[in-house]
Amino acid sequence: MDSNDEIIYDSEGYIRIYKSGRAERFHGLEFVPPSSDPVTGVSSKDANVVPGVTARLYMPKLDSDKKLPILVHFHGGAFCMGSSFDPLAHNYITSLVARANVVAVSVNYRLAPENYLPAAYEDSYAALDWVLSHKNDGPEPWLTDHGDFTQVYTSGESSGANIAHHVAMYGGSKLCGAVLIHPYFLSSEKVESDEFNPALADKLVQLWKIVCPTTIGLDDPWINPLAADAPPLATLGCKRVLILVGGADTLRDRGRAYCEKLKESEWKGEVKYWEAPGKGHGFYVFEPKSELSEEQDKIIADFVNKI
């Protein structure tokens, strides 16, 4: 057998990665076209952001000329799975846009291992620049006519929340805030929630080293924003941050630590934290109508509308 055909990562039912950099994906492959949702009234359409990077835009049902907050969102999938166009991602953002009454831009960044990190970060920075370029004029009327550029938020789930943090650092004071949902952060320091699922905790470490082969390790600022060499959280340019975690999530304590360090830093903004009792990673995607899923959506909606 060719050594390049050696399997170096296998998550059954999700993804298999080979030494050559080839990947086989078994989840999140279905493409849902943009549409006008008959239940919520939310409309969606796709746009080219920069060469190689696309996004899906969402517009809620309009009942006034009031400008709406803008949510620049990054899907999850451990940097190597998922898209803005798969059913779970599309349905989640449709529901959130309806509840929060925001204009959303769901960024379809490049995935590893075909495009190793920092490609996803570079794509996401470019997407934010593209959104902000519409402040005075631009090709997308949903942004120019209906977006409030004093209320631009970055948001994401899991690896997308990791990206959302870095995009918030990049965007500085041009952003109003950040929403980090079940963030995928790691560290060389063990935490209590690692023990919820030690096998999964080990796989997250293994996967990080595959999607970012140039990493310096678990205290790389890309995966550990609290590392000694990471840009200080006090330099975060936005003024509001919301962190949401699952109480039974292996990554729970990483989100908690981020929240506490942000509070302890010299950052002068507002930080909010919410934990879904007894819930695991990404629970809201798989049970969108549950009481806690709807509560989480309401918390996000209230946050971006400053309620």
Side-chain angles (χ1 to χ4, degrees):
M1 184 179 72
D2 188 335
S3 63
N4 283 330
D5 284 336
E6 177 187 347
I7 297 171
I8 59 173
Y9 183 86
D10 194 353
S11 180
E12 187 175 354
Y14 288 91
I15 190 169
R16 183 179 297 137
I17 301 175
Y18 294 84
K19 187 176 180 180
S20 64
R22 179 170 64 92
E24 291 180 295
R25 295 178 176 87
F26 311 102
H27 177 77
L29 301 178
E30 185 180 350
F31 176 88
V32 174
S35 62
S36 180
D37 184 65
V39 176
T40 62
V42 171
S43 298
S44 57
K45 64 179 177 179
D46 295 341
N48 292 317
V49 175
V50 295
V53 183
T54 54
R56 178 156 292 177
L57 279 66
Y58 295 82
M59 174 70 68
K61 184 177 181 180
L62 298 174
D63 55 14
S64 75
D65 294 332
K66 179 185 176 183
K67 297 279 188 174
L68 305 175
I70 300 170
L71 200 65
V72 185
H73 187 81
F74 307 98
H75 67 80
F79 301 105
C80 60
M81 293 178 285
S83 82
S84 297
F85 313 127
D86 72 48
L88 291 177
H90 176 78
N91 292 339
Y92 174 65
I93 298 300
T94 296
S95 175
L96 186 60
V97 165
R99 183 180 289 273
N101 202 38
V102 297
V103 179
V105 179
S106 181
V107 180
N108 199 50
Y109 53 86
R110 288 174 293 168
L111 301 177
E114 295 88 349
N115 299 279
Y116 291 117
L117 294 175
Y121 297 114
E122 294 165 353
D123 292 351
S124 301
Y125 296 159
L128 178 66
D129 289 340
W130 179 81
V131 170
L132 294 176
S133 73
H134 289 76
K135 182 175 181 179
N136 296 314
D137 194 17
E140 286 299 333
W142 286 4
L143 291 170
T144 57
D145 296 348
H146 303 289
D148 182 349
F149 286 87
T150 69
Q151 294 192 73
V152 180
Y153 289 83
T154 180
S155 70
E157 314 153 66
S158 191
S159 55
N162 174 304
I163 293 171
H165 158 77
H166 289 289
V167 172
M169 296 294 288
Y170 171 81
S173 60
K174 295 176 183 177
L175 294 174
C176 182
V179 178
L180 310 185
I181 308 167
H182 299 196
Y184 178 17
F185 298 139
L186 296 174
S187 165
S188 60
E189 182 179 335
K190 291 288 187 179
V191 293
E192 180 184 343
S193 61
D194 286 340
E195 298 305 314
F196 292 164
N197 189 335
L200 177 58
D202 289 345
K203 274 193 170 286
L204 291 171
V205 169
Q206 179 190 5
L207 191 54
W208 168 248
K209 295 174 181 178
I210 292 171
V211 299
C212 189
T214 59
T215 186
I216 60 172
L218 298 184
D219 292 321
D220 189 320
W222 287 125
I223 195 64
N224 182 7
L226 310 182
D229 293 335
L233 293 180
T235 62
L236 195 60
C238 64
K239 298 302 181 186
R240 309 179 73 235
V241 174
L242 171 64
I243 301 109
L244 306 106
V245 303
D249 185 1
T250 305
L251 292 172
R252 181 198 66 187
D253 292 346
R254 307 298 181 183
R256 280 184 179 177
Y258 180 94
C259 178
E260 292 307 313
K261 290 295 184 182
L262 188 56
K263 288 178 179 178
E264 293 168 8
S265 75
E266 296 180 0
W267 183 67
K268 303 301 182 185
E270 171 194 8
V271 58
K272 291 189 174 183
Y273 175 87
W274 183 78
E275 186 172 309
K279 291 298 184 181
H281 195 72
F283 74 93
Y284 52 90
V285 173
F286 304 104
E287 44 186 84
K289 299 300 182 183
S290 73
E291 183 177 338
L292 283 174
S293 295
E294 294 195 350
E295 184 177 351
Q296 178 174 282
D297 283 355
K298 183 178 186 303
I299 286 167
I300 297 171
D302 288 350
F303 180 78
V304 298
N305 285 284
K306 299 181 180 179
I307 296 174

